[in-house]
């Protein structure tokens, strides 16, 4: 029974209210509160306003236990149901939002009676609704179906949809608009004995940083932009919420490996090159990026980089990351 409400009209009574979703319960049975794992015996069962010796699937009840246990809304009282706890799982979802879904998107995950922050960590594949074919995907458009991996901030009580419907169905709620962005069902839960470590990627880090990774090269000897001006521009960028790194390689140092790691971290890199250092592959000079003349000031530099490091979907109200 997922707990909907804790009823405490006075200091002598504490009842747990909800609907029995599977099985049955009787006075004297030993039940377990999940996720705490504490056990207690059923002292009293109320169906509507009358006491009952037992209750069955589909009945809304109030259950009083014989001792104090850690139970609140979102917990589950169970007896031999084999529901599990997990902080990540695979779900088959239907995307319902007008704004496309991307990896790294944050939600409030509503499963059973529990609402908890979560993040989409991976899209395993999209399902072609016409052929049933599994198609590789990095995002979803409205009305597309996919199998995704979702991680939540702490272990929750759940099960696969085929085994326990209530603990296996979920909705994803946009954290800004509070609208339902997707609905779905739990398809797979990792084995608790085998820890799963999700590898964060550049796309996730960028989304959480609210910026596109970018490396911009400055060549003071050619563009007339001094190191002090670049430092001041970085100050303006940080003040405006950008995650930056000012990188001035030493003489003879190959900047390529360091740049690779900084960009993988989702950062905006301000690369300062001396006279004899070639422009690394894939890095634009500031003059090329902004079409700026020599001697741009710090605010012009910051404004140009703010523009070019903005995520395409960042300003969509339903796609902000918190």
């Amino acid at each position: 029974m997922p707990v909907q409400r804790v009823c405490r009209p006075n200091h002598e009574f504490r009842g747990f209210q909800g609907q029995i979703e599977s099985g049955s319960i009787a006075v004297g049975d030993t039940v377990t509160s999940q996720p705490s794992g504490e056990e207690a015996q059923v002292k009293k069962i109320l169906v509507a306003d009358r006491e009952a010796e037992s209750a069955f699937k589909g009945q809304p009840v109030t259950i009083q236990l014989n001792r104090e246990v850690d139970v609140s809304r979102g917990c589950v009282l169970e007896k031999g149901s084999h529901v599990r706890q997990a902080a990540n799982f695979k779900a088959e979802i239907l995307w319902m939002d007008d704004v496309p879904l991307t990896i790294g998107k944050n939600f409030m995950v509503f499963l059973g009676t529990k609402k908890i922050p979560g993040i989409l960590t991976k899209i395993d594949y999209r399902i072609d609704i016409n052929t049933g074919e599994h198609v590789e995907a990095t995002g979803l458009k409205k009305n597309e179906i996919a199998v995704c991996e979702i991680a939540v901030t702490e272990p929750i009580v759940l099960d696969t949809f085929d085994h326990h419907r209530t603990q296996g169905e979920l909705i994803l709620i946009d954290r800004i608009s509070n609208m339902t962005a997707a609905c779905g069902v739990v398809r797979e839960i990792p084995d608790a004995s085998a820890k799963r470590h999700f590898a964060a990627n550049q796309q996730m880090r960028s989304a959480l940083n609210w910026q596109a990774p970018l490396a911009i090269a400055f060549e003071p000897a050619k563009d007339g932009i001094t190191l002090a001006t670049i430092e001041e521009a970085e100050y303006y960028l940080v003040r405006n919420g950008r995650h930056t790194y000012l990188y001035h390689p030493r003489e003879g140092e190959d900047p390529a490996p360091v740049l690779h790691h900084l960009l993988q971290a989702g950062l905006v890199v301000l690369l300062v090159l001396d006279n004899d250092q070639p422009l690394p592959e894939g890095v634009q000079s500031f003059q090329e990026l902004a079409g700026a003349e020599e001697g741009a000031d710090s605010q012009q530099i910051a404004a140009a980089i703010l523009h070019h490091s903005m995520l395409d979907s960042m300003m969509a109200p339903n796609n902000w990351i918190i």
Side-chain angles (χ1 to χ4, degrees):
M1 184 191 80
V3 177
Q4 288 274 6
R5 180 173 178 266
V6 178
C7 176
R8 194 155 198 170
N10 56 60
H11 70 281
E12 295 180 347
F13 184 91
R14 186 170 184 239
F16 307 109
Q17 298 178 326
Q19 179 172 294
I20 299 174
E21 299 296 343
S22 66
S24 61
I25 192 71
V27 173
D29 285 352
T30 298
V31 296
T32 303
S33 170
Q34 299 288 4
S36 70
E38 295 179 89
E39 292 185 347
Q41 287 187 328
V42 176
K43 178 180 177 181
K44 183 185 292 185
I45 298 174
L46 296 172
V47 179
D49 59 348
R50 297 183 180 182
E51 286 193 35
E53 288 299 312
S54 61
F56 305 91
K57 178 181 177 180
Q59 287 186 298
V61 297
T62 300
I63 295 175
Q64 186 179 15
L65 302 178
N66 69 335
R67 71 182 192 90
E68 291 287 332
V69 294
D70 183 10
V71 182
S72 60
R73 177 179 168 84
C75 295
V76 175
L77 295 179
E78 63 92 18
K79 180 190 71 174
S81 67
H82 306 295
V83 292
R84 289 174 276 177
Q85 296 182 43
N88 52 75
F89 54 90
K90 288 189 179 185
E92 185 177 326
I93 67 168
L94 167 65
W95 185 245
M96 301 161 61
D97 204 328
D98 291 327
V99 179
L101 171 65
T102 56
I103 297 171
K105 171 76 174 176
N106 281 26
F107 302 96
M108 293 301 296
V109 179
F110 191 22
L111 190 151
T113 56
K114 182 76 170 180
K115 186 185 286 189
I116 187 170
I119 185 171
L120 186 134
T121 59
K122 183 182 178 183
I123 300 176
D124 287 356
Y125 54 84
R126 177 175 61 83
I127 301 173
D128 188 304
I129 60 173
N130 296 312
T131 65
E133 181 185 1
H134 295 177
V135 182
E136 185 177 344
T138 56
L140 289 181
K141 297 178 182 178
K142 187 175 183 178
N143 294 329
E144 289 187 329
I145 299 172
V147 172
C148 306
E149 297 186 20
I150 297 172
V152 290
T153 53
E154 62 184 53
I156 58 173
V157 183
L158 75 168
D159 208 336
T160 59
F161 180 76
D162 293 337
H163 193 201
H164 281 112
R165 177 173 176 173
T166 305
Q167 296 306 119
E169 58 187 3
L170 59 104
I171 59 174
L172 304 179
I173 302 171
D174 188 279
R175 295 183 65 173
I176 299 298
S177 67
N178 207 37
M179 300 291 288
T180 300
C183 61
V185 295
V186 178
R187 289 302 187 198
E188 185 179 332
I189 305 168
D191 186 351
S193 63
K195 289 186 177 180
R196 299 191 60 187
H197 299 280
F198 289 101
N201 56 31
Q202 185 189 61
Q203 189 175 8
M204 287 178 61
R205 298 185 192 103
S206 298
L208 291 169
N209 287 342
W210 272 25
Q211 64 186 28
L214 184 67
I216 303 301
F218 297 89
E219 301 173 277
K222 296 180 181 179
D223 56 31
I225 300 174
T226 66
L227 180 59
T229 301
I230 300 167
E231 290 173 343
E232 188 176 354
E234 185 186 26
Y235 165 77
Y236 287 126
L237 289 168
V238 172
R239 197 176 70 177
N240 281 276
R242 288 293 185 266
H243 300 258
T244 66
Y245 189 85
L246 198 159
Y247 176 35
H248 190 181
R250 296 187 300 270
E251 184 178 352
E253 178 184 354
D254 180 9
V258 176
L259 278 174
H260 171 75
H261 291 301
L262 293 174
L263 292 174
Q264 283 297 312
L267 299 179
V268 172
V269 184
L270 285 67
L271 176 66
V272 182
L273 298 176
D274 295 327
N275 297 349
D276 56 348
Q277 290 179 295
L279 195 68
E281 184 179 353
V283 177
Q284 284 184 294
S285 68
F286 176 73
Q287 286 180 305
E288 181 185 355
L289 176 84
E293 298 179 357
E294 291 186 9
D297 64 31
S298 57
Q299 293 197 23
Q300 290 173 325
I301 294 170
I305 294 176
L306 278 169
H307 174 72
H308 286 279
S309 60
M310 183 179 291
L311 287 177
D312 291 340
S313 58
M314 176 181 168
M315 299 308 294
N318 295 334
N319 203 40
W320 290 6
I321 302 294
I322 295 181

